[in-house]
Structure formats: C-alpha cells, structure tokens
Amino acid sequence: MTRSQIFARRSVMIGWDAGSWLLALLGFLLVRHEFSLSERMWVIAWAYVVAAIALQVIGGFWTHLYLGRSKVGSFDEVTSLGQLVLAISVVLGSTFYIAAPLFSRGIAFVMPALAFLFMTAGRWVFRMSRTRGRRNGEAAGVPALIFGAGDAGHQLAALVDSSPDSPYAIVGFIDDDPRLRFLRVRGYRMLGQGSDLVRAARATGAQVVVLAISQASPQLIQKVSDHCTEAGLELVVVPPLREMISGRLELDTLRAFNVADLLGRRPIETDLSGIAEHITGKVVLVTGAGGSIGSELARQVRQLEPAKLILLDRDESALHATQLSIDGNGLLDSDDTVLCDIRDRDAVCAVFTRLAPEVVFHAAALKHLPMLERFPEEGWKTNVLGTLNVLECAATNGVEHFVNISTDKAADATSVLGQTKRVAERLTAWYAAESGLHFLSVRFGNVLGSRGSVLDTFRAQIDRGGPVTVTDPEVSRFFMTIPEACELVLQASAIGDPGDVLVLDMGEPVRIIDVARRLIEESGKDVQVTFTGLREGEKLHEVLLSAAESGSLTAHPLITQVSVPHVQPSDVLAGHLDRLDNVDFERLGASAPNRRTTTGRGSR
C-alpha cells in the first residue's frame, strides 16, 4: 500500500469517527428532544460535540489508533476505540457538569454510546465489504473443506478471509460434534460430520480438506485420510501446537499430511530450567553420538551450554556428520570427538580418566532385532558388556549423572535385543545403588526416521517399485519423533531418581500397515504390500511395561517411573540364569571363555 493510500484511509477513518459524534448528536436530539432545545442548550450541545471531536482526533493519534496500531475492525482496535470514547465521555461529562449548570446529563451518557455504535458500525461495514470482495474475487484459491470448527478452524477462516492471496477458498466446514450442526464460522456453513465428508466435498467441488485440529488423535487422522483417499482429495493439516508461534496459526505453516501425523500431536512441555541445572557448565559425554538418538541428544545438549560436549562413537563417518551438524566445521581435530569402541574396557576407561565427564548419555547400542536374532553374541558384547564397561568406568571416575538409553523391547523381553537391554537396565540400577550416584535408564519405543527405521526401509522399497514388506496386517508399534524422544530423555534425566527406569509416554500404538500405505500414497506410485510373517523374537504388539511392572507418576505427565531388580556385574559375567530373568546365555553366545570379548560395536 502506497503512502497516499495510507493517508487516504486514515483520513476517511478520522472523518467517519468525527461524523459519528455528529450523528450521535442528531440521534440524541431526535429521540430525546425532537430537536426542541433552547438556544443555550443548542450551544452547550454543539460545544460538547466539537470538544468530543477534538479529543477523539488528539486521543486517536496519541494512542496510535489512527497510526495503524491495530488492524481495522479487529477486536483489538474496537477495544482501544471503546476505551478512548469512554475516557472522552468521563472528561467532558465532568467538565460540562461543573461549567454548564444547564448541561443535560443525558448527553454525557447517551451520546458517547451512540457515537461508539456508529464508529463500530462503520468498521463492520468496511470489514464485511473487504471479506466479501475477497471471497468473490477472481483470485480465489483452491476450494477447501475445513475439518474442525474449533479455535484452529476459526483462526484458519479468519486468515483465509484476511489474506489477499490465500491458496484456499473455503466452501464449508465439517465437524463431528453434533451440537455444531447449525454453526456458521465467519459466515461459512457447517456441512455435516466426518461421515459426510465425501458427500460434502462432491457437492461443493472441494479439492482439498484442511484438518484444522491441532491435537487430533492418530485414529481421527487416519480416518480423515482414508476418506480423502476415497474421494481423491488432498489432505492438508495444521501444525502441532509446539510448531506454532504463541499458539497462533499461519497459512504458510499448513502442510501436507505425512507419516509423522499418525503419531498424534501432543505438545511436549519441557522444563528447560530443571534440565539446564544438570547440563550447563558441565562436561557431558554422549556415547553412540553418530547414531540417530545420540546425534540429536548431542545437538540438544549443546543448546544447554555445557562446559564441554564430548562425542564418542566407533563410526568415524557418523562422528564427522554429527560434529558438522553441531558446530559446522567437522574437522575432527579436537578432543571433543572420540573414536572408541565401548567393548574395549581399557579404551573406555582411558577416555573417562583423560576427559573427566560429569554427565553421560549412553546411546551406543546394537538395535536391529532380526540381525541380533541371527548374531546374538554381538548383541551381548555391545549391549551388555559394552554397557558394563561404560558403567564401570563412569562409576570409578565419579560421574554425577548417567542416563542409559533403553527400549520398550526390554519389557517382557522375547528377543535378543530386549533381553540384552533388560540386563543393561538392571546393571544401571545396581551401579546406582552401589555408588549412590545418579544413574538411571530411559525406555521408549521406535523412533520415526532413525537410521534403519521402517520409514527408510519402506521408502527404499517404494523407490525400487515395491513390494513393501510388512510382517503382519495387525502388527503395531509405538513411535515417537527423534526430537520428541530426546527432549523427554533430557527431561527424564533431570527428574528421575537413582536406579529408576523412566518410561516415556509414546501415545497410542500405530499400525505398521498404516505407515506403509501413507508412504505409498505420498509417493503417488502403484506399489503392492506383501506380508511376510512375524520374525523370530518379534511381538505382534509391543508394551512399555512388563506384566510384573507397575508404573508410578513423576513430575512430568509424559514420563512414568518403574523399578527393576538389581543385578551384580559378577552375576552377569558368571551367567547366573536364575538371577537374570532366565536370560538364555547359551543362545547369546555368552559362555565362560568369551564373556568379556572386546571387539566391534554399533550406534543406536
């Protein structure tokens, strides 16, 4: 908008507000006195109006009302306008009551109200003309149905109405709440419930459905997605609350529905002050720093300003990638990057002695369930003996806080991965009890987008033209995004007690077939899905707590605390089966001669 256009708009606004006082005077005289006033009363009335207009203009500029402080016709502008008119009525009413004995008190009460009414009416007409002009304009966007008539739906309608180049033209609303059947959102009609979506889309010619529910459940998202697929509609979603600025929706943050939306969108509230107390100014070591969880943990820890952040991994290329993502240099020439194998006890202890970490996040592990079923001894060497090495060196060197990253497969373990991680949890609990230090474990499920996750596997299969392989039509898993998981790991490290196993709330489990179908739809390719059957050690549905565990609440609503029985390192090395949940040592290859093998490892 040019300067001359701005000046013209302000002039019109000032002129209308001044004219509103004149209209208020005429209305007051017509209704109250039928224009029958004495000459002295006419003088008082006109003096009142002139003074009111002068104060209106001066006050409007002083409060920036006429300088673009608020959007024309917005709630903020009308509120400021009402406050200004009220102040004028109080000042003039008091002044004229004292200075003019014949002053009619009706003027002081009625005229300001009438003037405010005329001012707001003018703004309403202005907003309505702009909105209708935009809706009927040639540059209308793609016809869109809005699913959800709550706060997000109202915000979205307001944004579309106020945007001169909105990509969408709203044709109606859909909402499952039967109480809203006659609701109109900014003039847009309610066209039915979720079951009416396809019919409403065909009747209105909609091409897009916008899911305007910022905390929709995975089940609702999947149901709406299925309806859209059936009708050939594009599905667009509003972002999670945590991605909005101050909870406000913006048109450019709307995005296409993706796999992550199947997880649900619960906002995670993290107490940064409580976390920072344990991290800021401390020397922090992250094992497995080249892995998906380890690298994201390292990035989030860096934001809490530790005195030093040490990245340890066996994979030099992964270390390079993590350092590059954190500080941008990737030179690998300082002692904050350590190439080390956690199976090598002497090497691990040398790192602890030389660098003296105060906080340790232990994310190094072998994690691929079917691979560990084929090579169980490798899982034993890394997940049990490697963890034992890190625990022993940490306790010996007085590490203040130690967080062992575990998995939901440790609950009612049926696989090598689950059994080895269960032993690691119990070892961590033993070291916490023996040393009195803050050693604990954090347990969560699958991480969406981590290296080797189903997301990568399915996308690779789709790129090859299929088929996409799923073990069972009903198999489900808990999923969490990498940033969410790491935020809660950091939070858990701050609120957990020594020896605890803290279980992260993963929300509702998601069917793997739904993830596969969503990715196929995103690709636009015709790819078949084949079912291969559950593999050795796999469960149809995972659990976060075993049948023998009962969780208790913590200070964070998404974190549950459970206790696990301690196990001494000597019992692990000696293979006392009766003390280790019947772990099959022979299957794990942990026979007496090689229980302390020291070669190779992987990253979580």
Side-chain angles (χ1 to χ4, degrees):
M1 185 178 293
T2 64
R3 183 173 297 181
S4 59
Q5 289 174 320
I6 295 174
F7 177 77
R9 175 178 291 185
R10 290 176 181 170
S11 299
V12 170
M13 187 184 300
I14 295 171
W16 176 254
D17 289 349
S20 294
W21 284 103
L22 293 174
L23 291 173
L25 172 62
L26 294 176
F28 173 75
L29 294 177
L30 175 64
V31 174
R32 180 73 181 272
H33 299 285
E34 296 183 351
F35 295 104
S36 299
L37 288 179
S38 65
E39 182 177 346
R40 183 174 178 80
M41 283 295 297
W42 272 107
V43 172
I44 293 174
W46 278 108
Y48 183 92
V49 169
V50 171
I53 292 174
L55 290 177
Q56 179 77 36
V57 175
I58 294 171
F61 279 105
W62 184 65
T63 60
H64 300 167
L65 180 66
Y66 299 134
L67 297 177
R69 170 181 170 180
S70 304
K71 193 171 184 178
V72 178
S74 66
F75 179 79
D76 288 340
E77 192 209 27
V78 172
T79 300
S80 300
L81 183 65
Q83 292 171 344
L84 177 59
V85 171
L86 178 62
I88 292 172
S89 68
V90 171
V91 171
L92 291 184
S94 302
T95 303
F96 276 74
Y97 182 75
I98 296 172
L102 297 179
F103 177 66
S104 172
R105 283 173 288 183
I107 294 178
F109 289 104
V110 177
M111 280 186 54
L114 287 174
F116 179 68
L117 180 63
F118 285 123
M119 292 177 196
T120 54
R123 285 162 171 79
W124 178 79
V125 170
F126 172 79
R127 286 290 299 273
M128 289 298 295
S129 63
R130 289 195 65 193
T131 299
R132 290 187 177 181
R134 191 171 293 119
R135 290 183 188 177
N136 299 327
E138 297 180 357
V142 178
L145 271 176
I146 310 301
F147 194 113
D151 290 341
H154 281 74
Q155 284 189 42
L156 181 59
L159 286 171
V160 170
D161 287 347
S162 61
S163 174
D165 55 354
S166 169
Y168 306 111
I170 298 175
V171 295
F173 274 76
I174 294 288
D175 197 287
D176 281 330
D177 190 342
R179 297 172 298 177
L180 305 180
R181 57 182 299 187
F182 298 114
L183 177 71
R184 291 190 179 232
V185 180
R186 297 181 65 87
Y188 299 110
R189 291 181 56 201
M190 187 67 62
L191 301 179
Q193 299 181 351
S195 57
D196 303 313
L197 189 149
V198 175
R199 175 192 57 78
R202 289 171 178 165
T204 59
Q207 301 175 26
V208 174
V209 173
V210 182
L211 184 59
I213 303 176
S214 58
Q215 297 186 60
S217 68
Q219 292 79 9
L220 175 60
I221 296 173
Q222 185 60 56
K223 183 176 74 172
V224 175
S225 174
D226 291 341
H227 285 318
C228 290
T229 301
E230 173 190 347
L233 300 168
E234 180 186 355
L235 178 59
V236 174
V237 298
V238 302
L241 286 174
R242 63 180 176 274
E243 295 178 14
M244 299 184 193
I245 300 175
S246 300
R248 295 190 64 83
L249 179 64
E250 299 293 342
L251 282 178
D252 58 3
T253 62
L254 298 181
R255 54 174 171 75
F257 167 59
N258 59 43
V259 175
D261 295 312
L262 291 174
L263 307 184
R265 296 191 292 277
R266 298 160 299 141
I268 293 180
E269 298 178 359
T270 305
D271 181 9
L272 293 178
S273 61
I275 297 172
E277 180 181 345
H278 299 284
I279 301 295
T280 304
K282 303 290 181 65
V283 179
V284 180
L285 168 67
V286 179
T287 71
S292 303
I293 293 296
S295 59
E296 178 63 23
L297 266 175
R299 284 186 284 271
Q300 293 194 18
V301 166
R302 172 53 65 88
Q303 296 176 6
L304 298 175
E305 300 180 351
K308 188 173 190 177
L309 175 59
I310 306 166
L311 310 176
L312 183 148
D313 203 288
R314 174 68 178 85
D315 187 336
E316 58 182 344
S317 297
L319 267 182
H320 177 265
T322 301
Q323 188 187 50
L324 192 63
S325 70
I326 290 177
D327 56 29
N329 65 52
L331 297 177
L332 301 175
D333 58 353
S334 59
D335 62 0
D336 57 0
T337 52
V338 178
L339 191 63
C340 180
D341 190 326
I342 64 168
R343 297 181 180 182
D344 188 338
R345 177 182 175 278
D346 293 339
V348 172
C349 286
V351 171
F352 276 80
T353 301
R354 184 175 79 255
L355 300 177
E358 300 166 89
V359 179
V360 174
F361 292 95
H362 177 47
L366 291 175
K367 66 172 185 175
H368 287 281
L369 187 148
M371 187 67 76
L372 294 187
E373 291 299 310
R374 294 177 55 214
F375 303 100
E377 186 175 355
E378 297 304 310
W380 172 260
K381 293 173 186 176
T382 294
N383 296 351
V384 176
L385 298 183
T387 298
L388 180 55
N389 290 337
V390 179
L391 283 166
E392 182 180 335
C393 298
T396 302
N397 287 273
V399 168
E400 298 174 4
H401 293 271
F402 184 102
V403 180
N404 169 49
I405 307 300
S406 189
T407 171
D408 59 349
K409 293 166 182 62
D412 286 334
T414 60
S415 62
V416 172
L417 172 59
Q419 288 186 341
T420 55
K421 297 299 277 185
R422 174 71 173 182
V423 174
E425 287 181 355
R426 297 183 61 183
L427 283 169
T428 304
W430 183 86
Y431 271 97
E434 287 298 308
S435 67
L437 298 172
H438 200 270
F439 284 33
L440 55 86
S441 298
V442 178
R443 182 191 298 171
F444 53 89
N446 296 272
V447 179
L448 198 67
S450 64
R451 258 186 349 191
S453 71
V454 293
L455 214 59
D456 293 335
T457 302
F458 288 167
R459 281 176 174 152
Q461 292 175 333
I462 291 170
D463 289 341
R464 290 172 58 88
V468 171
T469 56
V470 178
T471 56
D472 188 280
E474 296 303 319
V475 68
S476 67
R477 292 291 181 264
F478 293 101
F479 283 102
M480 182 175 280
T481 64
I482 296 174
E484 285 176 327
C486 292
E487 280 186 52
L488 287 176
V489 166
L490 289 172
Q491 182 72 74
S493 69
I495 67 176
D497 293 325
D500 281 352
V501 173
L502 296 173
V503 183
L504 306 188
D505 179 0
M506 302 292 294
E508 295 296 323
V510 176
R511 293 198 311 163
I512 300 300
I513 185 63
D514 292 337
V515 176
R517 287 172 177 164
R518 181 65 245 162
L519 289 172
I520 292 172
E521 289 172 11
E522 286 181 6
S523 72
K525 297 181 179 180
D526 184 14
V527 177
Q528 298 299 314
V529 176
T530 61
F531 299 102
T532 60
L534 292 175
R535 296 167 291 190
E536 184 70 24
E538 277 192 317
K539 302 175 186 176
L540 188 63
H541 307 292
E542 294 287 359
V543 295
L544 294 172
L545 302 176
S546 70
E549 294 174 334
S550 59
S552 58
L553 299 177
T554 67
H556 196 287
L558 298 182
I559 301 175
T560 302
Q561 181 270 335
V562 298
S563 298
V564 296
H566 304 172
V567 61
Q568 299 183 39
S570 58
D571 288 337
V572 173
L573 298 176
H576 290 170
L577 305 186
D578 58 331
R579 303 182 190 180
L580 292 173
D581 296 336
N582 294 322
V583 173
D584 189 347
F585 278 88
E586 294 303 321
R587 182 181 177 222
L588 293 177
S591 55
N594 63 2
R595 288 178 192 141
R596 204 71 169 180
T597 307
T598 58
T599 57
R601 59 136 297 234
S603 299
R604 180 179 177 83

